[in-house]
Each structure stands twice: as structure tokens, then as C-alpha cells.
């Protein structure tokens, strides 16, 4: 898998936007960027994925730089329930479902 | 709620014993992956099954083995348990579609080896 680098932790005030960065400088041209999160003691939950263009769904937005070497997950209005570990993943294009999760970013949303 | 169910949710074993963990995939999903998550770490890929055949394996010894059944449910077997096998074991089902390859995870089986 393309190696990803994420900060170990971030804080965000409730109601504010949370911007979680991820570096994936070795990404290949046709490899997607996936984001998952894991709330304490639960299984990881899919958030969003993208290839080149920015993506938005009901949970979040994904901004991918033009050179595709980094991306940012945006939670537009963070709530206390968004406190979780967020994983940025670039699956190997030859073994698509083998995800390398790494250590992720622990997002702490504070009142 | 992903539709992926795992059993048991918690179990305690002693060193040297064997354990079988079970996973029912989401309806229509023919691919099941297993992950091990040690405390404080991200999930690590163990192996994947697609249409009852192993389809990729991570860096785990042969005492970690699995099965997938015709209904796509799956089992993870671990023989000769070691203390370091204590972890949350996660099952994820998916369709092998490169454009929407979401993994749908269950809540996991927490194994404690004493």
C-alpha cells in the first residue's frame, strides 16, 4: 500500500470544522484514497473515498491536492460523537481490499 | 449497523488453546477479510476470502487459518494461542468492486489469552 502519514492527534471545538490531513506522496495514478473512522471499541466505519476530484457526502468532504500527494478530510460541523480515530488508507491497486490502517489520527472534539 | 455480525463478542482462552471466531457477512457480499487489532494500534490485515478461496494474506503465521462457506460466512481459527494473540478481531465484508470497495466491519470479537 502507498504509505500514508497522519498526525497522531488533533483537537477540535464542537460545532467547528475539523480538518484532518494525510500525506500519501507515493500514491500511484489509479489508487484511491479512503477514509475510515473508528469510535472507541467499535469496528471501523467507512466515511468517504476519492481518486482525483473532491468528494462530498452526508458525513464529510474529501479534498485531494492536484498532485494527489496529500488529502484533507473535512467534518464541517464536528460534534462530540465525531471523537474517534480517523484512518487515511490508500489500498494497493493489485490487492484492493487489503487495507493498511496505520495508526491514524485521534480526533478529540471538545465542548 | 453494517449487517456484519461476529461471534462471540468476548472470550477468554489460555495459552496453547485453540479458538474459532465466526463472521456473517452483509447480504450479497462475497468477500470477507479478517483483521487483528491490538490495543492502541490500527487493524492489521490477516487474510481475505473470496468465493471460498483465500485471496491474499498478511504477515501472520500458519496457525492463523480461515474458512469461507457457500453462504459467504467465514471463520477465523487460531491454534496454539500465544499471549500476543490477545486482540480485537475484526471481520469485514465487501464486494470486489474497485470503484466502491468499501469494507463493512462488524463490531469484533475481543480475545484475551491468559
Amino acid at each position: 500500500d502507498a504509505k500514508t502519514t497522519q498526525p497522531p492527534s488533533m483537537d477540535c471545538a464542537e460545532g467547528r470544522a475539523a480538518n484532518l490531513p494525510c500525506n500519501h506522496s507515493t500514491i500511484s495514478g489509479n489508487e484511491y484514497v479512503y477514509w475510515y473512522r473508528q469510535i472507541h471499541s467499535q469496528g471501523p466505519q467507512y466515511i468517504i473515498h476519492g481518486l482525483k476530484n473532491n468528494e462530498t457526502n452526508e458525513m464529510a468532504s474529501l479534498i485531494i491536492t492536484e498532485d494527489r500527494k496529500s488529502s484533507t478530510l473535512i467534518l464541517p460541523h464536528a460534534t462530540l460523537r465525531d471523537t474517534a480515530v480517523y484512518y487515511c488508507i490508500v489500498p494497493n491497486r493489485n490487492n484492493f481490499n487489503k487495507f493498511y490502517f496505520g495508526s491514524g489520527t485521534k480526533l478529540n472534539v471538545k465542548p | 449497523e453494517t449487517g456484519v455480525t461476529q461471534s462471540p463478542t468476548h472470550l477468554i482462552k489460555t495459552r496453547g488453546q485453540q479458538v474459532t471466531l465466526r463472521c456473517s457477512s452483509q447480504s450479497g457480499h462475497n468477500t470477507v477479510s479478517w483483521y487483528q487489532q491490538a490495543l492502541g494500534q490500527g487493524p492489521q490485515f490477516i487474510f481475505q476470502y473470496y468465493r471460498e478461496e483465500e485471496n491474499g494474506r498478511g504477515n501472520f503465521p500458519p496457525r492463523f487459518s480461515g474458512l469461507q462457506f457457500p453462504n459467504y460466512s467465514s471463520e477465523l481459527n487460531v491454534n496454539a494461542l500465544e499471549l500476543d494473540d490477545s486482540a480485537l478481531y475484526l471481520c469485514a465484508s465487501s464486494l470486489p468492486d474497485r470503484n466502491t470497495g468499501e469494507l463493512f466491519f462488524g463490531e469484533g470479537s475481543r480475545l484475551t489469552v491468559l
Side-chain angles (χ1 to χ4, degrees):
Chain A
D1 288 1
K3 180 176 173 61
T4 61
T5 304
Q6 299 177 253
S9 66
M10 294 181 63
D11 290 338
C12 178
E14 189 178 19
R16 304 298 293 268
N19 298 284
L20 293 95
C22 179
N23 288 319
H24 32 77
S25 58
T26 61
I27 193 170
S28 297
N30 60 353
E31 289 178 333
Y32 285 77
V33 180
Y34 279 77
W35 284 82
Y36 280 74
R37 74 179 183 183
Q38 188 172 25
I39 296 170
H40 182 62
S41 296
Q42 297 183 18
Q45 175 191 24
Y46 166 83
I47 302 172
I48 198 167
H49 74 284
L51 182 63
K52 294 180 181 178
N53 301 319
N54 299 337
E55 302 288 345
T56 296
N57 63 20
E58 64 279 4
M59 289 184 68
S61 295
L62 174 60
I63 308 298
I64 303 175
T65 58
E66 191 170 345
D67 63 7
R68 303 209 327 118
K69 293 184 184 298
S70 65
S71 61
T72 301
L73 178 74
I74 301 172
L75 308 178
H77 305 287
T79 70
L80 298 178
R81 288 177 294 179
D82 292 321
T83 292
V85 178
Y86 288 77
Y87 296 98
C88 167
I89 302 163
V90 178
N92 185 296
R93 58 184 170 174
N94 295 319
N95 199 342
F96 187 71
N97 284 316
K98 176 184 173 182
F99 282 14
Y100 174 73
F101 278 79
S103 298
T105 296
K106 175 66 188 301
L107 176 67
N108 299 299
V109 181
K110 300 184 175 181
Chain B
E1 189 79 25
T2 63
V4 177
T5 57
Q6 293 187 242
S7 63
T9 55
H10 296 81
L11 70 167
I12 299 173
K13 294 284 188 178
T14 57
R15 274 189 305 174
Q17 286 189 311
Q18 179 266 345
V19 68
T20 297
L21 308 177
R22 296 178 176 82
C23 172
S24 294
S25 59
Q26 186 176 97
S27 177
H29 285 186
N30 55 16
T31 302
V32 173
S33 303
W34 286 91
Y35 287 78
Q36 180 196 66
Q37 186 172 24
L39 199 62
Q41 298 181 20
Q44 289 193 56
F45 176 75
I46 304 175
F47 44 54
Q48 180 187 91
Y49 279 82
Y50 170 63
R51 294 187 177 179
E52 303 177 57
E53 298 286 333
E54 187 176 292
N55 180 41
R57 188 178 183 93
N59 189 26
F60 281 82
R63 59 189 186 85
F64 284 78
S65 63
L67 283 173
Q68 187 179 31
F69 300 100
N71 67 355
Y72 303 134
S73 66
S74 178
E75 286 182 355
L76 165 66
N77 298 291
V78 187
N79 294 322
L81 284 167
E82 301 177 359
L83 297 180
D84 286 348
D85 296 332
S86 294
L88 180 67
Y89 288 86
L90 294 160
C91 165
S93 75
S94 60
L95 288 169
D97 182 326
R98 290 175 180 271
N99 292 323
T100 59
E102 296 176 42
L103 296 180
F104 294 82
F105 283 88
E107 297 302 307
S109 294
R110 185 165 296 282
L111 171 66
T112 302
V113 182
L114 301 177

